[in-house]
């Protein structure tokens, strides 16, 4: 996709990877629509983009609220138009064992990212189909490919995103709407500050994989949209782990479990 002059909607754009993605698209001459709950933080991101000559639009919304999403997306359609690119980046969830996780936390972890991605995609999909163009990127984690101890509800939600992505791609077969799934290892972002006691549960095996910056994530997503990629896995060492998992899944899973967090 030629990006210059296009419009990208990014959820979870107030911090972490969302900021890196928003800046990367703005640098590619894409107008960005920034969604998250915290308007004050969204305004700061938008101000930085505008100060560099980019275009940014801010919409504060609770992405777990279907009615609120419908209302705000209708406003976006009127004020900005139908986005060319949707980045379903919003995600949350503290890493916990099942017995440590409340019912409310389990529901919240499924609400964001999965239901948020569903609501946003549904809101614009019919218009994208009428136009017969667009690109949807769903941000997930290597947790949607293999698992480790102490992050159960988080993992289940990422498998839901992967399933949603694969099913959506099948739905959109024979259209000009592309769908990308993003999965990576550890990213140095504010996610860990917002979800305390989670980073120490990263399996020791992950120490072999370089930690990513939010700028690297943003660059990878921009490249994926440009080149119509179906799957983004970074960095290279994580991609190698994926290849190993495809050949000997039992061995990689054994290492994930054995080097994972213990009670």
């Amino acid at each position: 996709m030629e990006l210059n002059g296009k419009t990208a909607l990014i959820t979870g754009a107030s911090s972490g990877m969302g900021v890196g993605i928003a800046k990367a698209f703005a640098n590619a001459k894409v107008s960005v629509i920034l969604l998250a709950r915290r308007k004050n933080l969204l305004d700061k991101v938008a101000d930085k983009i505008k100060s560099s000559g980019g275009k940014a639009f801010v919409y504060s919304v609770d992405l777990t609220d279907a009615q609120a999403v419908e209302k705000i997306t209708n406003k976006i359609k009127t004020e900005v138009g139908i986005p060319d690119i949707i980045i379903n980046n919003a995600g949350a969830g503290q890493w916990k064992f099942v017995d440590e996780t409340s019912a409310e936390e389990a529901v919240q972890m499924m609400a964001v990212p999965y239901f948020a991605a569903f609501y946003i995609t549904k809101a614009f999909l019919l218009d994208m189909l009428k136009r017969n163009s667009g690109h949807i990127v769903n941000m997930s984690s290597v947790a949607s490919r293999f698992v480790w101890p102490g992050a159960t509800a988080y993992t289940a939600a990422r498998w839901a995103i992967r399933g949603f992505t694969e099913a959506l791609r099948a739905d959109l077969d024979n259209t000009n709407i592309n769908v990308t799934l993003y999965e990576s290892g550890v990213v140095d972002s504010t996610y860990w500050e917002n979800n305390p006691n989670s980073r120490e549960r990263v399996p020791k095996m992950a120490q072999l994989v370089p930690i990513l910056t939010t700028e690297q994530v943003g660059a990878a997503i921009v490249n994926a949209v440009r080149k119509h990629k179906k799957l983004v896995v970074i960095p290279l060492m994580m991609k190698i782990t994926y290849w190993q998992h495809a050949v000997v899944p039992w061995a990689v899973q054994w290492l994930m479990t054995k080097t994972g967090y213990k009670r």
Side-chain angles (χ1 to χ4, degrees):
M1 178 188 286
E2 172 54 47
L3 296 180
N4 193 348
K6 295 294 194 296
T7 304
L9 181 149
I10 302 150
T11 67
S14 61
S15 64
M17 293 194 301
V19 176
I21 295 167
K23 289 181 177 178
F25 274 106
N27 290 338
K29 308 302 181 185
V30 174
S31 299
V32 293
I33 306 168
L34 311 177
L35 273 66
R37 286 178 302 159
R38 296 172 291 181
K39 187 177 184 301
N40 61 320
L41 295 183
L42 287 175
D43 286 337
K44 290 180 181 179
V45 177
D47 288 345
K48 288 183 180 179
I49 289 172
K50 291 174 183 177
S51 67
S52 299
K55 290 184 179 180
F57 306 89
V58 167
Y59 292 92
S60 176
V61 62
D62 180 356
L63 292 162
T64 69
D65 184 333
Q67 291 183 338
V69 170
E70 182 179 8
K71 182 178 179 180
I72 207 73
T73 52
N74 284 335
K75 188 175 182 182
I76 291 169
K77 291 176 188 181
T78 301
E79 296 179 351
V80 185
I82 309 303
D84 300 287
I85 304 154
I86 293 174
I87 313 295
N88 288 311
N89 167 71
Q94 195 171 352
W95 293 15
K96 294 182 176 182
F97 291 103
V98 171
D99 52 281
E100 297 175 318
T101 308
S102 70
E104 292 77 14
E105 286 173 325
V107 169
Q108 180 65 27
M109 280 189 256
M110 192 61 73
V112 184
Y114 171 57
F115 286 120
F118 184 93
Y119 298 153
I120 287 291
T121 301
K122 177 178 169 56
F124 294 106
L125 191 56
L126 184 58
D127 293 294
M128 284 185 160
L129 285 167
K130 289 177 180 176
R131 190 180 59 195
N132 196 28
S133 68
H135 198 122
I136 299 166
V137 180
N138 292 330
M139 305 293 292
S140 188
S141 158
V142 297
S144 70
R145 199 70 51 166
F146 28 72
V147 304
W148 52 85
T152 316
Y154 171 93
T155 300
R158 271 64 192 174
W159 280 61
I161 280 287
R162 179 182 167 195
F164 176 55
T165 304
E166 298 292 347
L168 182 62
R169 187 180 292 124
D171 283 352
L172 297 174
D173 187 42
N174 293 325
T175 74
N176 288 323
I177 302 171
N178 296 287
V179 182
T180 296
L181 177 64
Y182 168 93
E183 300 177 329
S184 75
V186 174
V187 179
D188 187 13
S189 78
T190 53
Y191 169 83
W192 305 106
E193 298 171 18
N194 297 330
N195 295 278
N197 304 316
S198 294
R199 191 157 188 168
E200 55 264 40
R201 298 193 178 195
V202 175
K204 292 183 176 62
M205 181 181 174
Q207 295 174 1
L208 301 173
V209 181
I211 295 173
L212 295 164
T213 65
T214 57
E215 289 79 12
Q216 287 174 305
V217 174
I221 297 303
V222 168
N223 184 59
V225 173
R226 277 198 173 115
K227 297 184 177 179
H228 305 298
K229 290 188 174 184
K230 292 184 177 181
L231 177 65
V232 176
V233 179
I234 56 174
L236 176 60
M237 192 62 199
M238 182 56 71
K239 190 175 292 186
I240 291 171
T241 304
Y242 269 48
W243 292 336
Q244 293 170 331
H245 185 257
V247 177
V248 283
W250 63 269
V252 174
Q253 185 54 65
W254 183 85
L255 285 169
M256 286 287 179
T257 302
K258 292 302 178 183
T259 66
Y261 180 78
K262 306 301 179 188
R263 294 175 187 272

